Amino acid sequence: MRILVTGGCGFIGSSFVRLVLAERPDWEVVNLDKLTYAGRLENLRDVEADPRYRVLRGDICDPEAVHDAMVGCTLAVNFAAETHVDRSLLGAAHFIDTDIKGVLVLLEEARRLGLARFVQISTDEVYGSIESGSFTETSLLNPRNPYSASKAGGDRLAYAYWSTYGVPVIITRASNNYGPYQYPEKLIPLFVTNALRGQALPLYGDGRNVRDWLHVSDHCRAILFLLEHGTPGEVYNVAGDNERENIEITRKILHLLGRPESLITPVQDRVGHDRRYSLDASKLGGLGFRPRVDFEQGIAETVRWYVENEWWWKPLKDHDGEFRRYYEQQYGERLG
Ligand code: NAD
Ligand code: DAU
């Protein structure tokens, strides 16, 4: 069995590649990744010598690159995407390219080659914000920022290739992931690495927005489970059942690091900031899947990982001009 993983050098994709190599000894993995600012070969340094693993640098928008990577594969999981909401607010063109057009290129090739399964990794953000209660898979989609709108495009295109051409597509919509190897633009790694240096933690608005936190290893286990037990044409929510306000997450990080709460710096809110995400994942639970990682343990281990793996994030924050430019653009005025 050979599986194509796109975006396998990113945060969740690299965790999934590692899981497949560890748990499916007779599977081969082909990783197609453009190596954007978020894709890093270092994320899979521990498996790069495995003869069952191959990484190809290429863009999912490029039909030739996609053909070369997909030919010979039976399964595909598409993680490749532009993923950061704040960046989509600075410019959405790359999001439309990768998160919609790239998905189309992958689906066309999956159709031509007759893949047995194609998993499209979507997001809970496609449902938009919810004040109370939780979204089920049949809730209306109401994406409210350029990132989530482009992900909704990819999500519905994948479904269209199932309903129109019978491509055996499965769509997953997961909540906020946390864990090792997450690019330090996202809330948890940004705040941990800033706190370690005694820098301000820029908390948007009143800090009361709610996210559901899912450990990346549980997300990846759910995807592997659905590859083998999911039904084509179906959508599955993947939740951590662990909703927290951002201020609570922020205080938890500071407490774990023994740093003062005076580092918390309320700043101008994200425009169009979704107030709360909440998923009902009973459809996946009904198939027998359960997340394993307890949040208290998961967040403590995650914080410790960033403390112990400065080699991974320090060069990014210190020497990567791209990160520094982005940080200045996103936070310069906010932090004065
Ligand atoms: P990430 O930003 O860490 O990694 C994205 C990866 O995709 C990188 O390796 C990048 O190089 C690659 N990539 C980007 N554009 C590409 C292109 N055109 N061709 C090939 N490769 C390309 O993202 P992540 O957080 O690991 O998210 C992975 C997937 O999961 C995304 O589809 C995202 O929408 C979805 N998702 C993420 C979360 C989360 O909390 N992080 C939650 C739900 C769903
Ligand atoms: O819900 C799933 C989504 O989760 C994924 O689809 C996205 O790819 C992923 O980036 C994530 O989106 P969010 O916008 O929820 O994640 P982020 O880490 O950017 O922000 C989490 C919360 O923290 C959000 O309410 C905004 C807030 N925040 C974030 C940053 C970066 C701050 O208050 N300050 C910050 O500096």
Side-chain angles (χ1 to χ4, degrees), residues 178 242 244 248 252 256 293-301:
Y178 70 101
N242 182 62
R244 309 278 167 134
E248 191 188 340
K252 167 72 67 189
L256 285 164
V293 181
D294 163 71
F295 181 72
E296 295 304 322
Q297 194 185 333
I299 187 74
E301 284 173 7

Side-chain angles (χ1 to χ4, degrees), residues 6-14 31-40 43 56-62 78-84 94 97-99 102 120-125 147 151 172-178 181-183 185-186 213-214 216 219 223 238:
T6 59
C9 293
F11 165 48
I12 307 174
S14 60
N31 174 5
L32 176 67
D33 198 299
K34 186 178 174 182
L35 298 179
T36 66
Y37 76 93
R40 302 180 68 204
N43 292 1
L56 304 173
R57 184 173 196 167
D59 189 333
I60 61 165
C61 299
D62 172 359
N78 178 31
F79 293 96
E82 288 294 333
T83 62
H84 194 35
H94 287 320
D97 287 341
T98 296
D99 302 7
Q120 170 62 14
I121 306 300
S122 187
T123 166
D124 62 356
E125 293 208 18
Y147 161 71
K151 288 297 291 184
T172 63
R173 297 180 184 147
S175 50
N176 283 60
N177 283 218
Y178 70 101
Y181 299 102
Q182 186 169 30
Y183 191 84
E185 64 190 353
K186 308 278 166 48
W213 294 95
L214 167 70
V216 65
H219 186 191
I223 296 163
V238 188

Side-chain angles (χ1 to χ4, degrees), residues 59-80:
D59 189 333
I60 61 165
C61 299
D62 172 359
E64 242 178 74
V66 166
H67 172 80
D68 291 347
M70 200 183 278
V71 72
C73 293
T74 320
L75 313 170
V77 182
N78 178 31
F79 293 96

Side-chain angles (χ1 to χ4, degrees), residues 82-332:
E82 288 294 333
T83 62
H84 194 35
V85 173
D86 287 331
R87 286 187 192 249
S88 79
L89 302 172
L90 299 173
H94 287 320
F95 289 74
I96 306 303
D97 287 341
T98 296
D99 302 7
I100 302 180
K101 293 185 196 165
V103 178
L104 178 66
V105 172
L106 289 169
L107 289 164
E108 263 304 310
E109 197 58 26
R111 175 185 171 206
R112 227 187 322 269
L113 293 175
L115 255 61
R117 285 289 181 278
F118 181 100
V119 179
Q120 170 62 14
I121 306 300
S122 187
T123 166
D124 62 356
E125 293 208 18
V126 298
Y127 297 116
S129 192
I130 190 166
E131 286 292 323
S132 60
S134 302
F135 292 116
T136 70
E137 290 81 356
T138 54
S139 298
L140 285 183
L141 302 192
N142 184 25
R144 292 167 19 95
N145 61 59
Y147 161 71
S148 52
S150 62
K151 288 297 291 184
D155 177 316
R156 289 300 81 194
L157 259 180
Y159 181 75
Y161 266 65
W162 155 254
S163 65
T164 313
Y165 305 115
V167 176
V169 160
I170 289 172
I171 296 156
T172 63
R173 297 180 184 147
S175 50
N176 283 60
N177 283 218
Y178 70 101
Y181 299 102
Q182 186 169 30
Y183 191 84
E185 64 190 353
K186 308 278 166 48
L187 178 76
I188 290 180
L190 177 69
F191 281 17
V192 174
T193 55
N194 276 15
L196 280 170
R197 295 180 150 184
Q199 288 172 349
L201 310 191
L203 188 64
Y204 294 159
D206 64 3
R208 307 282 307 272
N209 299 62
V210 173
R211 296 294 182 266
D212 169 49
W213 294 95
L214 167 70
H215 195 271
V216 65
S217 64
D218 279 330
H219 186 191
C220 291
R221 284 179 47 250
I223 296 163
L224 187 54
F225 178 88
L226 286 169
L227 257 176
E228 295 172 329
H229 304 285
T231 304
E234 294 290 320
V235 175
Y236 298 90
N237 289 343
V238 188
D241 288 329
N242 182 62
E243 290 180 30
R244 309 278 167 134
E245 290 184 348
N246 294 336
I247 181 70
E248 191 188 340
I249 297 287
T250 307
R251 289 200 177 110
K252 167 72 67 189
I253 290 169
L254 290 169
H255 175 74
L256 285 164
L257 290 171
R259 304 285 157 141
E261 291 200 2
S262 56
L263 290 177
I264 301 174
T265 309
V267 295
Q268 193 193 337
D269 207 353
R270 175 185 278 178
V271 288
H273 195 174
D274 285 338
R275 192 62 173 171
R276 174 173 173 259
Y277 297 142
S278 181
L279 289 178
D280 176 335
S282 50
K283 181 171 172 183
L284 176 61
L287 295 181
F289 180 84
R290 300 274 173 281
R292 282 186 192 152
V293 181
D294 163 71
F295 181 72
E296 295 304 322
Q297 194 185 333
I299 187 74
E301 284 173 7
T302 298
V303 168
R304 195 170 341 116
W305 188 87
Y306 290 97
V307 171
E308 289 171 357
N309 289 279
E310 234 187 51
W311 70 269
W312 185 82
W313 58 266
K314 199 165 178 283
L316 260 181
K317 290 190 95 162
D318 290 348
H319 307 304
D320 186 336
E322 201 284 333
F323 181 86
R324 293 219 309 278
R325 267 193 306 280
Y326 167 73
Y327 197 81
E328 179 52 34
Q329 200 176 5
Q330 193 64 253
Y331 298 101

